[in-house]
Amino acid sequence: MMQRIIFSSLLFVSTTAFAADGILQKDCAACHNLTGPAAQTLKEAWAKKGPGLFYAGNKYRQEWLVSWLQKPQRIRPAGMYYGDHIKPGPKGDEIDTSTLKDHVVLTKADAATVAAELMKLKPHDDLIAKEKIEPGAISKDEGEKVFDKFWGCMACHLIEPGYGGFSGPELYTAAQRLQPEFMASFIRNPQAWEPKTWMPNKEVSNGNLQKMVHYFEVLSKETANAQ
Ligand code: HEC
Ligand code: HEC
C-alpha cells in the first residue's frame, strides 16, 4: 500500500513538471530564453523579444510570478527596446503605447505550475551567494537621494508610474517582483547577469547598495498600499 502511494505521488509530480515544460516550450520559448546563456552580442541583445527567464529561480519571488502570470502588467514602460516604441510629442519623446502588445495570460493552475518550474532555473547561485542583505530601514527621501542624486539611476528607471526614465524596467514594484539578493547582485554587476545590458556598472558602494534595496522595499510597500 505504502509503495503504491509513493509511486502515485511521484507520478503526479512528474506529470505536472511535464505539463509545465510543455507550456514553457509551446507558449513562452518563442519570446523568452529558457536555457541560457545570456545574449553575448549587441545584435542578440537587441533581437530579444522578452527578458531572459533562464535564471528565473535566482531572480523572482515565486508568489509574484504566480500572480503576474494571471494578470500581467507592464514592467518596461516602453517595451523591450524603447527605441521601437517612442514617438515625438509636444514635451519631447513619448511612449507610443499603441505599438505595445499585451502579454499572454495563464490560468491560475497553469500559472502555479509554470512558476514552480521556472523557480528551478538557478544557474547563478554563485552570484546570489555573494550577497548579504543587512536589515535596515530608510526614509523615502533619503532613498531618492541615493538612487537619483548620487547615482543617477532615475535616468532609466521609473520610481512611480510615469515618473523617471523609461529605458529600463520600472522599479516601484521591484521588491514585490524580485529577490533582494538578486537586486543587490544586479546593481553590483549588471554585466555578470546580462553581458550586453545597457545598464552601466556604477561600482555602487556596498553601503549604498543596501540602502537601494531598502529603498525598493519602501517603494513597493507604497505601491501595494496604493493598489
Ligand atoms: C510574444 C512574446 C512573448 C510570449 C509568447 C511570452 N512572453 Fe513573457 N514577456 C514578453 C515581454 C515583451 C515581456 C516584458 C513585459 C514588460 O516588461 O512589460 C515579458 C515578460 C515576462 C515576465 C516578467 C519578466 C521580467 O523580468 O520582467 C515573465 C515572468 C514572463 N514574461 C513569462 C512568460 C511565460 C511563462 C510565457 C509563456 C506562458 C510568456 N512569458 C510568453 C514577451 C512574451
Ligand atoms: C542607462 C540606463 C540605466 C541606468 C543609468 C541604470 N539602469 Fe538599472 N537597468 C537598466 C536596464 C536596461 C535594465 C534591464 C536589464 C536588462 O535586461 O538588460 C536594468 C535593470 C535593473 C534592475 C533589475 C530590474 C529587473 O526588473 O530586472 C535593477 C534593480 C536596477 N536596474 C537598478 C538600477 C540602479 C540602482 C541604478 C543606479 C545605480 C540603475 N539601475 C541604473 C538600465 C539602467
Side-chain angles (χ1 to χ4, degrees), residues 171-213:
L171 293 180
Y172 49 87
T173 63
Q176 291 170 20
R177 297 188 279 115
L178 308 171
Q179 298 172 28
E181 292 80 7
F182 170 80
M183 295 192 269
S185 178
F186 199 89
I187 300 166
R188 193 184 298 285
N189 187 356
Q191 283 69 29
W193 293 86
E194 294 290 341
K196 291 295 168 189
T197 179
W198 49 86
M199 172 156 155
N201 181 344
K202 297 210 179 209
E203 310 205 1
V204 179
S205 63
N206 192 56
N208 278 336
L209 224 149
Q210 300 285 337
K211 284 186 181 168
M212 285 174 181
V213 174

Side-chain angles (χ1 to χ4, degrees), residues 102-185:
D102 288 340
H103 196 267
V104 182
V105 175
L106 296 184
T107 62
K108 194 174 174 185
D110 283 350
T113 14
V114 165
E117 202 60 19
L118 284 173
M119 291 310 291
K120 291 182 195 158
L121 307 176
K122 293 182 174 190
H124 288 318
D125 280 345
D126 55 333
L127 293 175
I128 293 294
K130 287 187 192 153
E131 301 300 333
K132 187 172 183 308
I133 307 299
E134 290 150 18
I138 193 169
S139 71
K140 202 180 155 194
D141 280 353
E142 201 194 338
E144 258 164 35
K145 223 183 273 168
V146 173
F147 186 75
D148 185 24
K149 294 226 174 62
F150 295 176
W151 298 97
C153 312
M154 226 175 94
C156 301
H157 293 286
L158 299 177
I159 56 165
E160 58 183 78
Y163 187 55
F166 41 61
S167 56
E170 54 82 359
L171 293 180
Y172 49 87
T173 63
Q176 291 170 20
R177 297 188 279 115
L178 308 171
Q179 298 172 28
E181 292 80 7
F182 170 80
M183 295 192 269
S185 178

